[in-house]
Amino acid sequence: MKHKYKNILFVLFFFLVANALQAEDGYRLWQRYDLIDDAGKLNAYKQAIARIQVAGNSPTLTIVKNELSAALQGLLGVVVPVGEGEAVPGAVVAGTPTSSPVIASLQLADRLKAVGEEGYLLLTANTGGKKYTVIAANTDVGVLYGTFHFLRLLQTQQDIHSLSVSSAPKLQKRILNHWDNLDRTVERGYAGFSLWDWHRLPGYIDQRYIDYARANASIGINGTVLTNVNANALILTKEYLVKVKALADVFRPYGLKVYLTARFSAPIEIGGLKTADPLDPQVQAWWKTKADEIYTYVPDFGGFLVKANSEGQPGPQNYGRNHADGANMLADAVADKGGIVMWRAFVYDNEVPDDRAKQAYNEFKPLDGTFRKNVMVQVKNGAIDFQPREPFHPLFGAMPKTPIMMEFQITQEYLGQGTNLVYLSPLFKEVLDSDTYAKGKGSTVAKVIDGTLNNHGLTGIAGVSNIGTDRNWTGHQFGQSNWYSFGRLAWDHNLSSEAIADEWVKMTFTNNNQLVSPVKNMMLGSHEAAVNYMTPLGLHHIMGWSHHYGPGPWIKDKHRADWTSVYYHRATAEGIGFDRTKSGSDAISQYFPPVQKQFGNIKNCPEKYLLWFHHVKWDRKMKSGRTLWDEMCYKYYAGVDSVRQMQQIWNKMESLVDAERFNHIKMFLAIQEQEAVWWRDACLLYFQTFSKRPLPAGFEKPGHPLEYYMQLDPKFAPGI
């Protein structure tokens, strides 16, 4: 069976490469192995690469061999022979000390020990007068990661003649969260339907499953949660576990572990019990039996992701228990097999008469130190809900005895959904680089989640996927950059947004700097542009009702106050903004004193967070010298102007990009410009009813009255 599996994998792999070369539709993502167009670089690479040597026949090392063969043939335009035995001049030798006698002879033990199970070395070796390239790791998956790094150097036309690279992930668990339902709809998905064709699994293995795993491996993502956090207990039944097994078997050689969401009421819904109380012995036994069953299908099952007692989902609080009680029960069920539990801290209750931004902290902070060692508390980057910009969540740094896992949203629920070009790496970096001051200056969010601040061995980061069945995977071509940047930052959060954008543009389009430089700059400014035309100066949660598409600052009088817009912006004739200082909700007190001092004082508060923490008078003088009202107008108009500049930049790229992708992006930018104007005009007209102030002189007038925007009701908006 092993040989049969490898043969099938080999055939499918080359079918992928041959088929992908036929179209420029974005399917190949950043893994485009086209002939290097710089003659000097091409010649240098040909001289440096003469043979592929991958000793070992494991499924993963077979993938390494195939990847190198296909990539080098595409990039160099020649077939690079594959061989074994002693290293020859110009060889690319890939393997572990166990699989490769050549690597074993290089005495790399100390250097390999430093990179751990998943890390790797890229080295230029020179032994006996023979110069060759080494991709070495402790594990086969580490070799695969190193292989993709080596190919990235070629794709971006870097010098490979004196390599001395040592790379290891800063976070253990680097996981995509798919909010995919069993009917193949995707909550907050804007790229088609779910990849997982449950109806045809396990018998039919779609080529995209292999391509998905390969793409994730290329950026170091090592886990995937297949199902929505608003979970369906059926995924835990035998009928579906055989399908989960089929996916896990495809993903395993790529280092990609499978995780599932656990519906807390599953013992009742599929187990026949009358309770799901986590302290009930029968319930505990049911989960242990269920976990053991899952491991019979998926021996390397990663564990459970849980959303409980949030937005109507069942949980331990239904039985008078707390989050630790629920998480620990599930943790005990998977502990002996090495599984983990990722327990989400996204909790808030409409019945609690407190600021929604405070509730997760209030519920979880007292539980610090009470969770099992194999539990991570998964915390969103901000305290509300993936807003275009949020200050970092106060739970980062507040639970030193508990591993805290970051949750970012790669899909753009609140950032233009499927139609807006918004490069998210600057958002991710803004949060990761924020200083919590938990142990004094330099206690960044990144150090909280990578375990270095509090010496945690279990670490992780999650990203809510933007992937679907659209041919280009992410709907918008530039959505691919957010999948890519999440993976790169999960591996190394010290990378800059500029460096990641540079890689992605070169790998996705061209190394021609006539395109690379302007498109990279366009990407780097795109998040700020979106914040400006949606929620400038700390505004938040003013989007359309339910589908979250477009502006809706007037949303009010719903069954939950904390799902309305007026709850957050609190606009009056006097001013606007949510007072979270001591005179308001006092959410500021959940941060450490230096952060309180910065955010809590209106004079010190960064203006990008001003209306998040303060209710500000319309006539307050801003740093620009303008009043708050005028500054808000300038921000909204600047956001639209930025999109128009993006259009101008992209239009100049026509001769440098294939027609299919050029036109795709051009059309989406036109939609983005229309939506940016919609946001700008609707929001300013609405807030003008409170400020009673005119738009600054010289600004273009809104195309319609406020009533027009308020009656817009988009039908069938995706992602619900």
Side-chain angles (χ1 to χ4, degrees):
M1 284 299 292
K2 288 184 178 179
H3 292 296
K4 182 179 179 182
Y5 175 80
K6 284 189 287 186
N7 289 337
I8 292 172
L9 196 64
F10 188 85
V11 171
L12 288 173
F13 178 86
F14 277 97
F15 173 79
L16 154 72
V17 175
N19 184 61
L21 290 172
Q22 303 305 310
E24 285 289 8
D25 54 13
Y27 185 86
R28 291 188 290 161
L29 299 164
W30 48 88
Q31 296 182 287
R32 299 168 74 252
Y33 298 144
D34 295 344
L35 184 66
I36 292 168
D37 57 7
D38 183 310
K41 293 282 187 182
L42 178 61
N43 185 55
Y45 290 153
K46 284 182 176 180
Q47 291 180 2
I49 300 170
R51 190 162 87 166
I52 298 166
Q53 291 184 216
V54 183
N57 294 305
S58 72
T60 301
L61 290 178
T62 299
I63 290 168
V64 169
K65 191 181 303 181
N66 294 344
E67 191 75 32
L68 284 169
S69 295
L72 294 177
Q73 181 176 350
L75 291 165
L76 305 185
V78 296
V79 176
V80 180
V82 178
E84 295 186 9
E86 293 185 5
V88 299
V92 177
V93 181
T96 68
T98 302
S99 71
S100 170
V102 174
I103 290 174
S105 71
L106 295 176
Q107 299 180 336
L108 299 173
D110 289 343
R111 296 185 68 177
L112 284 172
K113 183 179 180 181
V115 298
E117 288 192 6
E118 295 181 295
Y120 53 84
L121 305 175
L122 300 183
L123 306 172
T124 299
N126 198 331
T127 57
K130 295 180 290 187
K131 187 176 181 180
Y132 54 95
T133 300
V134 174
I135 305 172
N138 293 303
T139 63
D140 293 352
V141 168
V143 178
L144 181 61
Y145 292 151
T147 297
F148 282 120
H149 187 150
F150 175 68
L151 295 175
R152 183 166 65 243
L153 295 178
L154 300 182
Q155 287 178 276
T156 56
Q157 300 183 11
Q158 305 299 305
D159 187 355
I160 63 167
H161 288 82
S162 298
L163 293 175
S164 182
V165 175
S166 175
S167 183
K170 295 187 180 300
L171 292 153
Q172 284 183 353
K173 313 296 182 183
R174 306 175 300 280
I175 299 177
L176 288 182
N177 288 184
H178 286 270
W179 286 0
D180 293 22
N181 300 311
L182 298 185
D183 64 2
R184 299 194 73 185
T185 58
V186 182
E187 184 172 340
R188 308 309 177 189
Y190 311 103
F193 288 94
S194 169
L195 291 180
W196 324 131
D197 190 346
W198 298 109
H199 181 66
R200 288 191 275 189
L201 282 164
Y204 178 71
I205 302 300
D206 194 316
Q207 174 65 36
R208 295 195 76 153
Y209 304 155
I210 298 167
D211 301 342
Y212 166 84
R214 175 173 166 258
N216 279 316
S218 76
I219 50 177
I221 290 172
N222 66 0
T224 181
V225 183
L226 299 176
T227 45
N228 195 353
V229 290
N230 293 317
N232 188 324
L234 289 176
I235 194 64
L236 304 177
T237 62
K238 180 179 179 180
E239 178 185 1
Y240 279 91
L241 290 177
V242 296
K243 303 170 190 286
V244 171
K245 169 182 166 52
L247 291 174
D249 289 345
V250 171
F251 298 163
R252 188 172 295 111
Y254 292 90
L256 192 66
K257 276 191 178 184
V258 162
Y259 299 76
L260 295 173
T261 46
R263 183 163 170 84
F264 202 80
S265 53
I268 300 171
E269 295 172 12
I270 62 172
L273 300 186
K274 295 182 178 180
T275 181
D277 184 345
L279 300 189
D280 186 301
Q282 284 186 300
V283 174
Q284 294 170 351
W286 186 89
W287 278 109
K288 182 66 175 76
T289 300
K290 178 55 65 177
D292 289 345
E293 180 188 5
I294 295 171
Y295 280 104
T296 65
Y297 291 98
V298 185
D300 57 350
F301 175 61
F304 294 120
L305 171 64
V306 185
K307 176 179 180 178
N309 292 121
S310 173
E311 298 182 327
Q313 291 297 302
Q317 293 176 344
N318 294 37
Y319 305 95
R321 315 304 185 187
N322 61 41
H323 291 288
D325 294 328
N328 292 341
M329 174 194 66
L330 291 172
D332 290 343
V334 298
D336 63 338
K337 302 294 197 305
I340 65 169
V341 170
M342 299 164 285
W343 192 272
R344 297 177 85 232
F346 181 61
V347 296
Y348 62 100
D349 186 349
N350 189 46
E351 302 304 319
V352 177
D354 206 348
D355 181 357
R356 172 175 160 182
K358 297 173 62 177
Q359 293 184 38
Y361 182 101
N362 289 343
E363 289 195 32
F364 279 86
K365 168 66 173 171
L367 300 177
D368 188 29
T370 65
F371 292 93
R372 298 284 192 268
K373 292 182 179 180
N374 59 327
V375 173
M376 283 192 284
V377 174
Q378 185 167 308
V379 180
K380 290 188 178 186
N381 57 277
I384 296 298
D385 188 14
F386 299 134
Q387 294 303 291
R389 169 171 278 141
E390 297 191 40
F392 70 89
H393 201 300
L395 275 174
F396 292 113
M399 299 180 67
K401 299 176 183 178
T402 306
I404 300 296
M405 185 177 192
M406 172 65 74
E407 181 179 332
F408 283 127
Q409 192 176 47
I410 308 170
T411 191
Q412 294 169 228
E413 178 182 357
Y414 298 103
L415 275 160
Q417 301 193 351
T419 54
N420 286 205
L421 191 168
V422 183
Y423 175 51
L424 295 181
S425 181
L427 182 158
F428 300 157
K429 286 288 290 183
E430 183 172 289
V431 176
L432 291 168
D433 293 343
S434 293
D435 200 336
T436 70
Y437 286 88
K439 288 189 173 181
K441 187 175 176 59
S443 303
T444 61
V445 171
K447 290 181 180 178
V448 173
I449 66 169
D450 73 11
T452 58
L453 190 66
N454 295 301
N455 298 313
H456 288 300
L458 179 61
T459 62
I461 187 169
V464 181
S465 164
N466 65 345
I467 301 164
T469 54
D470 279 8
R471 178 67 185 168
N472 67 10
W473 300 88
T474 57
H476 197 304
Q477 291 276 350
F478 275 82
Q480 297 175 2
S481 70
N482 295 328
W483 180 7
Y484 182 85
S485 63
F486 171 79
R488 296 291 284 128
L489 286 171
W491 184 275
D492 183 1
H493 54 65
N494 289 325
L495 291 171
S496 70
S497 296
E498 183 175 13
I500 295 169
D502 189 81
E503 289 177 359
W504 182 80
V505 171
K506 289 176 177 177
M507 296 166 73
T508 303
F509 293 110
T510 176
N511 278 257
N512 188 331
N513 199 51
Q514 289 182 286
L515 180 141
V516 173
S517 181
V519 171
K520 183 171 62 175
N521 290 335
M522 180 176 77
M523 292 170 66
L524 291 170
S526 62
H527 174 248
E528 198 66 39
V531 171
N532 281 343
Y533 65 72
M534 290 181 178
T535 55
L537 301 172
L539 286 170
H540 51 288
H541 206 287
I542 57 172
M543 65 289 166
W545 171 254
S546 184
H547 49 63
H548 299 166
Y549 173 60
W554 45 79
I555 300 297
K556 62 179 180 177
D557 299 331
K558 299 294 184 179
H559 66 286
R560 291 191 62 143
D562 55 5
W563 284 0
T564 68
S565 300
V566 297
Y567 175 92
Y568 296 96
H569 65 68
R570 309 205 167 192
T572 67
E574 295 292 321
I576 187 173
F578 198 128
D579 183 0
R580 292 189 166 103
T581 69
K582 294 185 184 300
S583 62
S585 74
D586 199 28
I588 197 74
S589 66
Q590 295 181 338
Y591 291 97
F592 287 89
V595 181
Q596 292 182 35
K597 186 176 181 181
Q598 181 186 32
F599 291 161
N601 186 325
I602 195 169
K603 295 180 180 179
N604 298 332
C605 184
E607 289 187 349
K608 62 185 178 182
Y609 300 135
L610 184 65
L611 303 182
W612 186 283
F613 289 109
H614 299 274
H615 189 82
V616 184
K617 293 182 178 180
W618 293 113
D619 286 334
R620 179 176 178 81
K621 188 175 182 180
M622 305 292 282
K623 292 178 181 177
S624 65
R626 294 185 280 265
T627 65
L628 171 63
W629 168 250
D630 283 354
E631 186 72 11
M632 184 181 294
C633 294
Y634 273 91
K635 290 289 186 182
Y636 272 108
Y637 276 83
V640 172
D641 289 344
S642 295
V643 176
R644 290 170 177 167
Q645 290 166 11
M646 290 161 64
Q647 289 180 286
Q648 293 171 11
I649 291 170
W650 187 252
N651 286 340
K652 295 177 182 177
M653 301 299 112
E654 185 169 8
S655 64
L656 302 172
V657 184
D658 55 277
E660 185 171 353
R661 291 188 297 169
F662 173 80
N663 287 321
H664 168 101
I665 294 162
K666 181 177 180 178
M667 288 186 284
F668 272 88
L669 283 170
I671 295 171
Q672 184 171 357
E673 191 270 345
Q674 294 167 4
E675 293 181 346
V677 171
W678 175 24
W679 269 93
R680 179 197 70 189
D681 291 353
C683 290
L684 286 178
L685 285 171
Y686 172 75
F687 291 132
Q688 194 176 38
T689 65
F690 297 95
S691 75
K692 308 297 184 184
R693 288 155 175 79
L695 296 177
F699 283 175
E700 64 184 21
K701 303 301 181 184
H704 305 278
L706 175 60
E707 291 70 26
Y708 167 83
Y709 298 108
M710 292 182 69
Q711 59 83 33
L712 291 177
D713 184 21
K715 304 297 184 186
F716 310 115
I720 299 180

